[in-house]
Amino acid sequence: MTERRQEVTELLLSWNDGHKEALDHLMPIVADELRQLARGYLNDERDSHTLQPTALVNELYLRLVDRRRVTWENRSHFFGFAATTMRRILVDHARAHRTEKRGGGSETLVLDEAMALPDQREIDLVALDDALKDLEKLDPRQGRLVELRFFAGLTIEEASEVLGVGHATVSRDWKTAKAWLHRELRRR
């Protein structure tokens, strides 16, 4: 596993140096992990959801290819970006679906155990995105942390590395962000 992590980091650094073919070598290595991540997001969606995990990863790939300039630090940084991008894709999809239905049924997503909200209640993905935007205004690091933990599935240690702060700080921020989001989502 450590060798694979190192290989991913080396490919990301090669991509930083302008070697576009590094992305072609990288994607087969991380594709299964990205699909697993996408599957986790979509597992609790409505049965008729039109976006499938592979389509979500493909859309991510297209957005990666379009990146003009990249500066990856490591694997965790890449998965953090992937999480943010998947979040945007899912929210864009939910908003488009809502628009098509003229305000009809909203996309729902069950927060996984990483969020640890009581009762594993279904929430509106658009409401979660709106709440995250509000959290990012109040505390950008906490907003980014929620993306890294919930959308990218990073551990406290990995998120700590991406954010450049200590594990204790990330743990405190995580508890605070979860409580704030829980309150906001209940309020909405």
Side-chain angles (χ1 to χ4, degrees):
M1 187 65 146
T2 304
E3 289 175 19
R4 189 169 142 185
R5 284 180 175 278
Q6 184 61 36
E7 182 180 9
V8 168
T9 298
E10 287 172 8
L11 286 168
L12 290 168
L13 295 176
S14 178
W15 190 9
N16 284 350
D17 293 337
H19 303 279
K20 295 283 186 192
E21 68 278 1
L23 176 62
D24 295 330
H25 295 292
L26 174 70
M27 286 309 288
I29 296 169
V30 297
D32 285 341
E33 247 179 299
L34 291 172
R35 270 193 298 278
Q36 183 179 358
L37 185 63
R39 220 175 280 114
Y41 299 152
L42 297 170
N43 267 350
D44 297 309
E45 290 284 340
R46 60 187 164 73
D47 290 336
S48 62
H49 195 284
T50 58
L51 194 59
Q52 298 299 314
T54 300
L56 183 55
V57 172
N58 289 343
E59 181 64 28
L60 171 66
Y61 175 79
L62 292 174
R63 294 186 187 194
L64 287 170
V65 168
D66 283 344
R67 291 199 40 101
R68 302 275 185 263
R69 203 175 151 177
V70 292
T71 310
W72 306 111
E73 295 172 20
N74 53 36
R75 178 189 175 281
S76 297
H77 184 232
F78 171 78
F79 276 93
F81 173 83
T84 301
T85 303
M86 283 187 183
R87 170 184 163 203
R88 289 183 186 135
I89 293 166
L90 288 170
V91 170
D92 289 348
H93 186 78
R95 288 186 198 281
H97 181 74
R98 205 181 252 185
T99 300
E100 286 173 17
K101 295 249 186 182
R102 296 182 188 186
S106 60
E107 302 290 325
T108 58
L109 178 70
V110 175
L111 291 177
D112 68 359
E113 60 197 38
M115 278 307 287
L117 291 180
D119 304 323
Q120 297 278 307
R121 293 189 303 210
E122 286 190 358
I123 61 164
D124 182 333
L125 184 57
V126 174
L128 174 61
D129 185 61
D130 291 342
L132 271 175
K133 286 177 184 172
D134 290 344
L135 177 60
E136 288 166 347
K137 289 176 191 169
L138 292 172
D139 190 319
R141 187 175 66 210
Q142 285 184 14
R144 182 79 174 123
L145 176 59
V146 171
E147 281 186 337
L148 294 172
R149 295 276 292 143
F150 178 64
F151 287 97
L154 298 185
T155 64
I156 293 289
E157 293 75 22
E158 290 169 330
S160 173
E161 186 179 327
V162 171
L163 296 171
V165 296
H167 297 190
T169 301
V170 170
S171 291
R172 273 192 309 275
D173 282 354
W174 181 236
K175 288 176 187 170
T176 304
K178 285 191 301 185
W180 188 90
L181 280 172
H182 182 273
R183 187 183 69 238
E184 276 301 299
L185 291 171
R186 287 180 100 195
R187 186 180 66 79
R188 292 169 192 240

